[in-house]
Amino acid sequence: MTEPIENAEDSAESTPGDQGMNTIHRAQLLLEQDEAITAKVDAGATPEEAIDPTNKEFGPQGHPEQVQIRVAKRAQMLKDGVEPYPVHLNVTDTITSVRDRYDGKLEAGQETEDIVGIAGRVLFLRNGGGLCFVQLSSGDGTRIQGMISKREVGADSLKRFKQLVDLGDHLYLRGRVIASKTGELSVFATEWDIAAKALQPLPALHKELTEEQRTRKPYLAMIVDDGVRKMVRRRSAVVSSLRHTFEDHDFLEVETPMLQTVHGGAAARPFTTHMNAFDIDLFLRIAPELFLKRCLVGGIERVFEINRDFRNEGVDGTHAPEFTMLEAYQAYGTYDTIGDLTKELIQKSAMEAFGSLNVELLNGDHYDFGGEWKQISMYDSLSESLGEEITPETGVDRLRTIADKLGLDEEPAENHGKLVEHLWEHFWQDKLYEPTFVRDFPVETSPLVKAHRTKKGVVEKWDLYVRGFELATGYSELNDPVVQRQRFVEQAKMASQGDVEAMDIDEDFLEALGVGMPPAGGMGMGIDRLLIALTGATIRETITFPLVKPIN
C-alpha cells in the first residue's frame, strides 16, 4: 500500500493550504482505492467482484463505479501479463487512409484479402454471441467499423474482448478489409489489443456538451464534437497561412521575452510576478512591440512574431487574459502599406482555412472578406454622429460635457484623446459590420505612433473593425527618440493620475531608438480574434485550452 502522508494539516496554512491538502488527501485516497481493487483482482476476484459500487470504504470522494470497474479491468490485464498501455503496436494504416482506399468500392458482403493494422478510440460497442462490433474513431473524427468473431480470434480472445474493452479505450485491430452484410466498410479482425485503457468514461455521445464541459475539459470536446476538432484544425491552417504570407514578403520570425522588466508596447494592465534569482519584480508581457522594434534598429528590417500576450483585464466574448498575438514591422513602410499587408494576411487565411473569401459563420450566416475595404476617419465620423465638428483642438471640458449628456461613465485620467475615443466607441464600435479601417487617432492615446504628416494633433494609426469588433491595429511607427521620451513622460503622468493602463518609461528602448530605427509600418492582430472573425465563435471557442476559474 502507498505510505500515508502524515501531519499534512500541520504543514499547511489555514486558508489556501487547506485546499491544497484536500487535493493531496484525495489523491492519496484514490491511490489507496486503486491498490485495494488491484489486491482483490490479484487474489482471484473478477473485476465485478473487486469493486465497491456504493463506496462504503472510501466514501463519496472515492472513484465512481464506472471508474472502479475500469481500474479493475486494468488490474486484470496486468495480472494476465497484458500491458494496458503498450509501448508499440503494429499500426500500418490510418482509419482515414482505409476509408479513402475502399469507400464506395465494395459491395455489401464483399471481402478482400487486404490486411490492415489500424487503431482508434472506441465510440460504439455491441457484444453479441460469437460476433462483436466496435466503431473506432481516428483523431480527425473519421470512423470505421471493426468486427471481432469467435471464428477468427478464438473463443478465449473473444471472451477477453467482451470482458476488458470499454467505450473510450484506444483499440488496435489487425485484419482483412471487408464490407459487412449491410454494406458497412469494416476491418474483420484476426487480432486485437487495447492500445490504451481509458479509466474515465466518455460523456454521452448523443448529447451536446455543456459550456462547462467544453471549457474545463476541452479534450472531451475534441473527442465527441466535430466542430471543436474543426476549430483546432482551422486555427492551425490560419497560423500556417500567416507564416507563409510573411515568408512570401521576406519577413523573419523572431521570439522576444515573455518576462519583462518594464511593461510596454500597449495600453493595458499587466500581470506581475517575482524572479527569485534576481530578487526583482517582472511583468508578463502585454505586447512584443518594443523588442520587435529593437530588431529594426539591429537591421532586421522585416520582422514578425506569433506568440502569447498577457493582460490582466476583463473576460468576455472577445477578451481573454492569455491570448496569441501577431505583430509585424516593416522598415520603410507606413500605416498604409502595413494596412495592405494586413488585408492580404486575413484574406489568404480565409482562403487557406475555408477555401473562400465568403466564409460561413457558425450561425449559418456568410461574411465577405473580399472587395475593397471601407476607410473612415475617427474625427470625421465622430463629428458626423454628434452633428458638430470635433477636432484635436476641441477642449476637454466640451468633450466631457458631451459625454455627460450621453450618460457615459467617466474613466480615470480622461484627457482629450481618451474622451474622443470614448465618444467614438459609443457611436461606432459595434456598428462597423463590414471590414473597415478607422484611421487617424488622437495623439494622447497613441504614444508609440508617428504624428500625422498633415493633421496636427493626430497620429497615423488605424484600427480594423470586422463584424462590430476591433480585429487589428496598424501604425506609422514613431522613431524619434526625443518625441518618444516626451510621450513616455506623458504616459507616466497619466499613470500617476490613476491610469492603470498607461505605459512605463523604458530607458533601454529609448537608448535603442537613439541608435537609429528606420521609418516603419507596424501592425498587431490577435490570432484568437481572427478566428472569431472567420468563424463567428467566441474567444473561448477559438482557444484550445481557455483559462477558467477553478471550481473550488
Side-chain angles (χ1 to χ4, degrees):
M1 295 288 286
T2 302
E3 290 296 320
I5 300 173
E6 298 182 358
N7 300 322
E9 296 87 351
D10 297 339
S11 66
E13 296 295 331
S14 57
T15 1
D18 285 347
Q19 182 58 49
M21 289 304 103
N22 287 341
T23 301
I24 294 173
H25 280 305
R26 173 128 199 275
Q28 176 77 28
L29 178 144
L30 295 178
L31 277 175
E32 291 174 359
Q33 189 172 23
D34 292 342
E35 291 169 350
I37 291 170
T38 300
K40 291 177 183 178
V41 170
D42 288 344
T46 66
E48 291 75 14
E49 295 168 341
I51 68 170
D52 173 17
T54 60
N55 261 324
K56 291 179 182 178
E57 180 180 357
F58 293 94
Q61 292 296 309
H63 286 308
E65 181 180 358
Q66 282 198 61
V67 176
Q68 290 186 50
I69 192 69
R70 290 165 181 254
V71 170
K73 290 180 180 182
R74 171 189 176 276
Q76 184 68 57
M77 293 177 70
L78 291 171
K79 179 184 177 184
D80 294 342
V82 178
E83 175 55 58
Y85 306 97
V87 175
H88 176 73
L89 292 162
N90 189 27
V91 177
T92 57
D93 307 84
T94 65
I95 294 174
T96 304
S97 68
V98 174
R99 277 276 176 207
D100 290 343
R101 278 182 291 177
Y102 296 98
D103 251 345
K105 297 177 181 177
L106 301 180
E107 301 291 335
Q110 182 178 349
E111 300 188 7
T112 76
E113 295 301 317
D114 301 338
I115 303 296
V116 296
I118 62 170
R121 188 183 291 274
V122 178
L123 295 188
F124 172 80
L125 189 60
R126 186 172 83 239
N127 291 333
L131 180 63
C132 296
F133 294 88
V134 62
Q135 186 184 68
L136 301 185
S137 175
S138 64
D140 65 3
T142 305
R143 301 182 183 185
I144 198 168
Q145 178 172 270
M147 300 168 66
I148 298 91
S149 75
K150 179 179 177 180
R151 174 169 59 88
E152 289 288 337
V153 302
D156 289 343
S157 179
L158 184 65
K159 181 181 178 181
R160 281 199 314 112
F161 182 90
K162 293 178 180 180
Q163 181 187 43
L164 297 176
V165 177
D166 292 301
L167 292 179
D169 289 352
H170 286 272
L171 188 68
Y172 165 76
L173 297 180
R174 183 169 181 80
R176 291 180 292 114
V177 178
I178 70 167
S180 69
K181 291 180 180 179
T182 61
E184 181 69 28
L185 183 64
S186 307
V187 174
F188 200 61
T190 55
E191 59 180 283
W192 67 271
D193 277 296
I194 290 178
K197 183 66 189 168
L199 301 187
Q200 296 287 337
L202 294 178
L205 299 179
H206 61 280
K207 294 182 180 179
E208 285 194 12
L209 293 178
T210 64
E211 182 66 18
E212 186 80 357
Q213 287 175 309
R214 287 177 185 275
T215 54
R216 293 192 180 278
K217 299 178 180 180
Y219 47 87
L220 292 180
M222 294 177 205
I223 295 170
V224 304
D225 191 328
D226 185 54
V228 173
R229 288 192 297 271
K230 281 183 179 178
M231 181 64 74
V232 175
R233 293 179 182 278
R234 283 172 171 169
R235 184 181 180 110
S236 178
V238 164
V239 173
S240 177
S241 172
L242 294 171
R243 287 194 162 100
H244 289 154
T245 302
F246 280 122
E247 183 179 350
D248 291 342
H249 287 276
D250 297 324
F251 279 73
L252 290 179
E253 183 174 10
V254 299
E255 295 174 341
T256 61
M258 297 286 190
L259 293 174
Q260 301 182 355
T261 55
V262 179
H263 70 87
R269 177 181 289 188
F271 287 93
T272 60
T273 187
H274 186 80
M275 181 179 178
N276 292 331
F278 291 171
D279 192 23
I280 57 172
D281 289 333
L282 295 170
F283 302 98
L284 296 181
R285 79 172 186 194
I286 58 176
E289 177 168 343
L290 301 186
F291 283 92
L292 291 174
K293 286 181 174 178
R294 287 170 169 90
C295 291
L296 295 182
V297 173
I300 303 174
E301 295 186 340
R302 297 189 178 204
V303 63
F304 78 97
E305 181 174 11
I306 299 175
N307 219 323
R308 288 293 209 245
D309 284 358
F310 307 86
R311 299 182 184 180
N312 199 357
E313 300 170 336
V315 177
D316 58 30
T318 58
H319 291 84
E322 175 187 3
F323 58 98
T324 304
M325 191 70 176
L326 159 67
E327 288 203 18
Y329 296 86
Q330 179 179 351
Y332 305 104
T334 67
Y335 75 151
D336 295 311
T337 57
I338 208 73
D340 292 339
L341 176 61
T342 302
K343 180 180 178 182
E344 181 183 346
L345 288 164
I346 294 169
Q347 290 182 332
K348 286 188 173 179
S349 294
M351 290 299 299
E352 183 72 25
F354 295 89
S356 172
L357 295 181
N358 194 321
V359 301
E360 183 176 358
L361 306 178
L362 292 180
N363 64 2
D365 292 343
H366 284 78
Y367 189 86
D368 189 6
F369 285 95
E372 291 300 316
W373 290 5
K374 189 176 177 180
Q375 301 197 36
I376 65 173
S377 158
M378 172 166 282
Y379 279 96
D380 290 348
S381 57
L382 176 58
S383 299
E384 175 188 332
S385 297
L386 286 172
E388 70 173 271
E389 187 177 14
I390 302 296
T391 72
E393 286 74 40
T394 303
V396 170
D397 290 341
R398 177 58 188 154
L399 294 171
R400 188 170 286 128
T401 298
I402 297 171
D404 290 342
K405 286 183 179 179
L406 293 171
L408 302 184
D409 294 333
E410 188 170 328
E411 297 181 358
E414 283 201 326
N415 51 35
H416 169 90
K418 279 185 170 287
L419 283 163
V420 167
E421 290 195 15
H422 201 181
L423 289 167
W424 184 89
E425 288 169 358
H426 171 75
F427 288 106
W428 286 94
Q429 183 168 5
D430 58 355
K431 307 295 191 303
L432 300 174
Y433 188 77
E434 63 181 292
T436 304
F437 288 104
V438 182
R439 293 165 60 92
D440 302 339
F441 279 61
V443 65
E444 293 90 346
T445 57
S446 309
L448 298 168
V449 190
K450 186 169 285 188
H452 197 281
R453 282 162 274 186
T454 60
K455 300 175 184 177
K456 186 178 179 182
V458 174
V459 295
E460 294 196 351
K461 169 185 173 181
W462 52 254
D463 279 352
L464 173 61
Y465 279 80
V466 169
R467 295 181 41 243
F469 66 90
E470 180 193 336
L471 173 57
T473 189
Y475 303 166
S476 293
E477 300 295 340
L478 178 57
N479 61 339
D480 184 333
V482 174
V483 175
Q484 185 64 80
R485 187 181 299 277
Q486 292 171 348
R487 301 271 187 89
F488 278 158
V489 169
E490 288 301 316
Q491 287 285 301
K493 290 178 180 178
M494 291 164 60
S496 67
Q497 295 167 8
D499 188 344
V500 296
E501 295 185 345
M503 298 182 198
D504 283 343
I505 298 174
D506 190 333
E507 286 293 345
D508 184 76
F509 174 66
L510 290 170
E511 184 175 342
L513 274 190
V515 175
M517 186 183 97
M523 60 81 66
M525 177 169 59
I527 300 298
D528 317 302
R529 288 199 174 194
L530 178 55
L531 267 295
I532 294 171
L534 291 169
T535 65
T538 66
I539 195 166
R540 280 192 173 190
E541 292 170 322
T542 71
I543 298 174
T544 309
F545 294 97
L547 179 67
V548 292
K549 187 176 181 179
I551 293 176
N552 294 322

